[in-house]
């Protein structure tokens, strides 16, 4: 689940019960439920996102900052640079070399 950029604001919203479950037909508030596993995101560095648990359906949600995308190893800025390079006519190998990522 994508939330805001400021971790402090997300934490206070989570503790205040202002974030709701995104599950279809649920919408009950999320409560703090630990942290997700730390991972390295290219362009954003190490990331250990907060986790929230729904009081209604009891499903946990990982609260990702808007600077990263779900199930992606690269930050939004890195992906955006790749799109711009592709729009400029570059192939996948030159783009990978430009961004210093594997081909």
């Amino acid at each position: 689940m994508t939330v805001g950029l400021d971790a402090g604001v997300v934490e206070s919203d989570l503790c205040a019960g202002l974030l709701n479950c995104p599950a279809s037909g649920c919408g009950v508030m999320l409560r703090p439920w630990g942290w997700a596993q730390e991972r390295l995101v290219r362009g954003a560095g190490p990331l250990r996102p907060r986790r929230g648990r729904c009081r209604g359906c009891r499903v946990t949600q990982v609260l990702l900052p808007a600077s990263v995308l779900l199930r992606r190893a690269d930050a939004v800025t890195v992906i955006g640079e790749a799109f711009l390079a592709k729009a400029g006519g570059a192939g996948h190998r030159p783009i990978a070399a430009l961004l210093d990522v594997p081909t």
Side-chain angles (χ1 to χ4, degrees), residues 67-82:
S67 61
V68 298
L69 298 175
L70 181 65
R71 297 186 181 104
R72 297 290 176 256
D74 299 305
V76 170
T77 54
V78 175
I79 295 170
E81 288 179 40

Side-chain angles (χ1 to χ4, degrees), residues 75-96:
V76 170
T77 54
V78 175
I79 295 170
E81 288 179 40
F83 280 141
L84 289 174
K86 183 63 180 173
H92 74 280
R93 285 190 173 92
I95 292 171

Side-chain angles (χ1 to χ4, degrees), residues 10-62:
V10 172
E11 182 68 23
S12 64
D13 286 351
L14 180 63
C15 291
L18 299 176
L19 298 178
N20 293 328
C21 180
S24 179
C26 185
V28 178
M29 75 174 157
L30 296 174
R31 299 302 295 162
W33 192 259
W35 302 87
Q37 185 174 359
E38 185 174 318
R39 61 186 177 133
L40 184 62
V41 179
R42 279 187 294 263
L47 175 69
R48 187 170 186 218
R50 190 71 158 115
R51 186 181 288 273
R53 184 174 186 220
C54 176
R55 286 188 161 181
C57 65
R58 295 185 162 171
V59 172
T60 61
Q61 302 289 335
V62 175

